[in-house]
Amino acid sequence: MPFSVSWQTLLEELEELDGATLVTPLSHDRFRITDVQDHRVIVHFEDGDEKRPLQRDQFESLYRRITDTPNGFELDRLPPDADPYPAVWSLHPRFEIDEDAGVIVEQDGPTSTQLLEGEPASESDNRTEPDLAVYADALLLVDALERHDVDVLEELETDVLVNLYTLLSDVQRNANGVRQDVADVLLARLHHDRLVNGPFGSVQRTTRRNRTLKDEETVLAALEDAGIDRERVMGVDRGKVDDALEVTDLAESDVYDIEESAYVRKAEVDEERKDSRLQGLKEQLAAVDSDEGEALRQEIEDLEARIDELTEFKSGQAFQSRGGGNS
């Protein structure tokens, strides 16, 4: 099918959109299509308030790459800042993005799109409490940090320090569990060490090599075949040394350099006390009247806006599009 026909079909699909939101396949940035023209499509990114024109010739270039590749065009081969182009192409009835495989491909049958079906709830009443241990522990920790002056830890009572240490330990452990779950999902979406940005930071797929020696005979035989005497690689076995200490009069210090250091270890957790305090916090939050609740929501929104302002990343292209009158 000629590009001009596919382009016209795509424009018709875009014309029917009414304020819908799309998401880019690699960076998962959200954007809206604000204007559709014969030679370009204007999009508006929600993060950073960036407006950008997507040019027809760039759509054509991506179209050629997709249709010339039977198994789909690999998304990690996209040029910088080209992430929205495949997202828009996915609105065409014959093009589909496979994020697991990291490709955009032409299909003969029905396809899916990068179009988000609905908007996230913006009102605090619609927020749901996540069923995660780290959420409960984090709420308790925030409460403890608000009630005590942690700028001068030396002035806090011992029981307060014990509570803080316990909560920090629980948050760290449970957060690491959720962190690993998130990492497992992200790993399937990141390709070839490509840096992917989010509002608060960036992640990148990396490779770690772990080495484990094969069994002793296999290793020694391979080295001997290579002309290496086995005596050259035979060393002291720590396990055998410990066994020898058990049946001799040698002291541990005779064969080990020993250095001791003290540390704090969490011995136990009063889960019943934590649950009781947590329930009290939830009841306090639920009891906030409408005026105070609205003020709290406004305060949270202002804080979130301030965080976005401090952490957002704008490319040079974003500033050029603002100053160059591309819209």
Side-chain angles (χ1 to χ4, degrees):
M1 181 180 297
F3 167 74
S4 58
V5 176
S6 295
W7 175 247
Q8 189 59 41
T9 300
L10 178 62
L11 294 183
E12 292 172 359
E13 294 288 337
L14 299 181
E15 291 284 1
E16 295 180 2
L17 293 178
D18 183 16
T21 300
L22 290 87
V23 60
T24 58
L26 293 178
S27 58
H28 294 92
D29 292 329
R30 295 158 60 95
F31 67 93
R32 296 176 183 273
I33 296 175
T34 58
D35 191 17
V36 178
Q37 303 171 10
D38 288 340
H39 63 290
R40 65 180 185 175
V41 176
I42 309 298
V43 299
H44 181 271
F45 282 83
E46 295 184 0
D47 291 337
D49 196 29
E50 175 191 355
K51 185 178 291 186
R52 187 191 306 175
L54 305 181
Q55 304 295 341
R56 183 183 188 276
D57 59 348
Q58 296 299 319
F59 279 105
E60 183 174 5
S61 177
L62 179 58
Y63 173 85
R64 302 298 180 197
R65 291 173 180 266
I66 299 170
T67 54
D68 289 345
T69 311
N71 296 324
F73 175 71
E74 295 181 3
L75 295 172
D76 59 6
R77 295 173 58 191
L78 288 169
D81 295 328
D83 211 6
Y85 284 90
V88 175
W89 261 128
S90 74
L91 296 173
H92 189 285
R94 294 178 61 86
F95 295 98
E96 182 176 40
I97 290 175
D98 184 343
E99 288 200 24
D100 292 334
V103 299
I104 179 171
V105 64
E106 185 178 17
Q107 303 281 23
D108 292 330
T111 61
S112 61
T113 74
Q114 297 299 106
L115 186 66
L116 297 181
E117 294 297 332
E119 294 299 317
S122 58
E123 296 296 330
S124 60
D125 292 342
N126 294 331
R127 294 179 180 178
T128 58
E129 177 185 325
D131 186 18
L132 295 172
V134 67
Y135 174 81
D137 288 331
L139 187 59
L140 288 169
L141 178 60
V142 168
D143 174 63
L145 293 174
E146 289 178 344
R147 289 186 293 111
H148 303 289
D149 184 6
V150 295
D151 291 335
V152 187
L153 294 175
E154 291 78 9
E155 296 182 0
L156 297 180
E157 299 293 333
T158 300
D159 61 335
V160 173
L161 292 172
V162 170
N163 283 341
L164 285 172
Y165 186 88
T166 301
L167 290 172
L168 287 165
S169 178
D170 288 345
V171 168
Q172 180 186 41
R173 183 188 69 251
N174 293 324
N176 278 337
V178 179
R179 174 176 171 269
Q180 186 58 55
D181 292 339
V182 172
D184 291 341
V185 176
L186 270 176
L187 195 59
R189 300 183 181 181
L190 304 179
H191 306 283
H192 302 291
D193 296 338
R194 183 187 179 104
L195 189 68
V196 178
N197 298 315
F200 301 130
S202 304
V203 295
Q204 187 174 26
R205 182 181 181 129
T206 59
T207 302
R208 181 186 297 113
R209 294 180 69 243
N210 294 318
R211 300 192 308 166
T212 303
L213 280 175
K214 298 182 179 180
D215 64 89
E216 185 175 297
E217 286 303 319
T218 299
V219 174
L220 292 176
L223 292 174
E224 286 183 337
D225 290 343
I228 303 297
D229 186 0
R230 68 170 53 200
E231 297 299 328
R232 292 180 57 185
V233 296
M234 297 295 286
V236 177
D237 187 303
R238 179 169 177 165
K240 293 179 180 179
V241 171
D242 289 340
D243 292 340
L245 288 176
E246 296 289 337
V247 297
T248 66
D249 293 332
L250 288 172
E252 189 179 26
S253 58
D254 291 333
V255 292
Y256 283 106
D257 290 325
I258 301 173
E259 181 179 352
E260 294 185 351
S261 60
Y263 67 98
V264 176
R265 180 179 67 87
K266 185 183 67 176
E268 60 184 24
V269 178
D270 189 341
E271 295 290 350
E272 183 176 349
R273 185 72 173 269
K274 283 175 58 178
D275 290 341
S276 176
R277 179 59 182 165
L278 180 62
Q279 185 58 38
L281 289 173
K282 291 180 178 179
E283 290 175 356
Q284 288 177 1
L285 292 174
V288 175
D289 62 40
S290 59
D291 292 339
E292 292 178 346
E294 181 60 32
L296 178 60
R297 283 191 292 273
Q298 184 60 49
E299 182 178 339
I300 292 174
E301 290 175 2
D302 292 343
L303 178 60
E304 290 176 342
R306 179 60 176 160
I307 291 174
D308 289 341
E309 179 182 346
L310 293 174
T311 58
E312 68 182 2
F313 172 81
K314 294 185 177 68
S315 65
Q317 183 173 354
F319 291 106
Q320 293 174 5
S321 63
R322 284 186 174 186
N326 288 329
S327 61

